């Protein structure tokens, strides 16, 4: 689990503003808003999920999307089977639409893509393909690109 000191270090080394979506149970074969983007566009430097309650042992794909207020939703991270994911497992969203990166509680490995992705006014949400027990929490570090833009927990 993250400590406040760990979050403060990320902010200090230049990952920008920080927002947290506290632990919530997984949505049941539907979407769940995790963050709301308001007043303008934001550049996301890091979007990281963590399993807080073990995921039920059955197939279930998880993906992360940007759902703009105006326009069409787009995958930030496509399907990853989260069958029986352990507490402490980390999910890394690369923001390029490729598969969500899941790593057992040991680490979250970053890809070689762009160092950030841009989200418009709207929401960032997770979507599941089945109804599984379990819970996740999410952290986002970002910079506002437009005056007054922000990302807050949904």
């Amino acid at each position: 689990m993250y400590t406040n000191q760990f979050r403060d270090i990320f902010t200090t080394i230049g990952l920008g503003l920080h927002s947290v979506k506290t632990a919530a149970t997984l949505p049941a074969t539907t979407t769940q808003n995790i963050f709301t983007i308001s007043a303008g566009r934001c550049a996301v430097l890091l979007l990281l999920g963590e399993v807080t309650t073990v995921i039920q042992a059955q197939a279930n794909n998880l993906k992360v999307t940007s759902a703009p207020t105006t326009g069409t939703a787009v995958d930030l991270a496509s399907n990853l089977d989260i069958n029986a994911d352990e507490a402490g497992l980390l999910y890394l969203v690369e923001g390029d639409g490729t598969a969500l990166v899941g790593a057992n509680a040991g680490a979250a490995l970053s890809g070689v893509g762009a160092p950030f992705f841009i989200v418009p006014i709207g929401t960032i949400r997770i979507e599941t393909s089945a109804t599984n027990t379990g819970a996740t929490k999410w952290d986002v570090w970002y910079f506002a690109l437009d005056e007054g833009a922000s990302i807050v927990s949904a």
Side-chain angles (χ1 to χ4, degrees), residues 12-153:
T12 301
I13 62 172
L15 289 180
L17 301 170
H18 179 240
S19 188
V20 177
K21 172 67 173 180
T22 58
T25 57
L26 292 170
T29 318
T30 188
T31 62
Q32 176 186 80
N33 293 338
I34 56 175
F35 294 106
T36 300
I37 302 97
S38 59
R41 301 161 300 159
C42 292
V44 174
L45 279 70
L46 179 60
L47 177 55
L48 188 66
E50 180 179 350
V51 176
T52 58
T53 303
V54 68
I55 309 296
Q56 181 179 349
Q58 72 174 1
N60 186 2
N61 287 324
L62 175 69
K63 70 177 181 175
V64 181
T65 61
S66 169
T69 302
T70 302
T72 305
V74 64
D75 289 349
L76 298 172
S78 57
N79 290 329
L80 172 69
D81 186 2
I82 60 171
N83 181 346
D85 282 356
E86 65 185 358
L89 186 141
L90 300 173
Y91 299 125
L92 178 68
V93 177
E94 295 179 307
D96 61 1
T98 59
L100 183 64
V101 178
N104 289 344
L109 309 172
S110 64
V112 183
F116 62 89
F117 57 92
I118 298 170
V119 291
I121 295 172
T123 59
I124 297 173
R125 64 189 186 194
I126 59 174
E127 182 176 337
T128 59
S129 64
T131 300
N132 285 33
T133 58
T136 59
K137 72 177 207 119
W138 294 84
D139 289 272
V140 63
W141 284 266
Y142 70 95
F143 287 103
L145 297 177
D146 295 313
E147 180 88 24
S150 67
I151 300 177
V152 297
S153 177

